[in-house]
Amino acid sequence: MGSTESSAHEGFTAEERAAMKERAQEVKKAGRRTSRAEKAAQAERDVLEKIAGMPESDRAMAERVHAAVTAAAPSLAPKLWYGMPAYALDGKVVCFFQAAEKFRTRYATLGFSDLARLDEGTMWPSAFALTEVTPEAEARIAELVKRAVG
């Protein structure tokens, strides 16, 4: 058996490997910053830069999601997470936006980690497909984010 990249990473797509490499770079880059304020400011710039570099349909949704999340929960700090815009509380990701282009899917995703307080009985959604961020979707995002942070 040869040692090709595909056999070395069997089971992961090229997009998944790229996301893991992005995450490693994010961790490395964050470790180089000195002050908490410097880290927060750079993390937000990184998120805005990532959003600006997205294809138009993803960018339009990501901009609206970013605005809704930061307005609804100012306590959440923007940061990159596996190359995606994410929003963290005390450094731990609560929610994230995944562009459709990221994994070549037909829709973008707004996802929530297990830290999000969205519990409803014994089963509840933790990710939502987005094809467009309408005013109604924006209001729902704000409602979910507020619930997520308690």
Side-chain angles (χ1 to χ4, degrees), residues 90-141:
D90 298 326
K92 297 178 182 174
V93 171
V94 173
C95 62
F96 61 89
F97 176 83
Q98 180 179 296
E101 183 268 338
K102 179 78 174 170
F103 293 106
R104 296 187 173 108
T105 59
R106 65 183 181 94
Y107 52 80
T109 305
L110 174 65
F112 292 86
S113 76
D114 63 328
L115 298 176
R117 297 177 183 159
L118 299 177
D119 305 33
E120 290 180 7
T122 60
M123 186 172 142
W124 58 89
S126 62
F128 298 84
L130 295 170
T131 57
E132 181 181 5
V133 179
T134 63
E136 295 80 15
E138 231 172 313
R140 179 75 172 126
I141 290 166

Side-chain angles (χ1 to χ4, degrees), residues 5 13 29 38 40 46 52 66-67 78 106 109-110 138 144 149:
E5 184 176 39
T13 66
K29 187 175 182 181
E38 181 183 309
D46 292 345
H66 179 77
R106 65 183 181 94
T109 305
L110 174 65
E138 231 172 313
L144 286 165
V149 297

Side-chain angles (χ1 to χ4, degrees), residues 31-129:
R32 284 185 242 156
R33 297 185 195 116
T34 55
S35 74
R36 177 175 271 185
E38 181 183 309
K39 287 180 183 184
Q42 184 59 50
E44 182 156 20
R45 284 191 297 272
D46 292 345
V47 166
L48 294 174
E49 185 178 298
K50 179 59 81 172
I51 290 171
M54 291 178 180
E56 176 54 36
S57 63
D58 284 329
R59 182 175 57 248
M61 287 189 288
E63 288 171 346
R64 292 187 75 178
V65 166
H66 179 77
V69 170
T70 55
S75 61
L76 293 179
K79 67 184 273 180
L80 288 178
W81 186 62
Y82 292 95
M84 299 175 283
Y87 304 87
L89 186 61
D90 298 326
K92 297 178 182 174
V93 171
V94 173
C95 62
F96 61 89
F97 176 83
Q98 180 179 296
E101 183 268 338
K102 179 78 174 170
F103 293 106
R104 296 187 173 108
T105 59
R106 65 183 181 94
Y107 52 80
T109 305
L110 174 65
F112 292 86
S113 76
D114 63 328
L115 298 176
R117 297 177 183 159
L118 299 177
D119 305 33
E120 290 180 7
T122 60
M123 186 172 142
W124 58 89
S126 62
F128 298 84

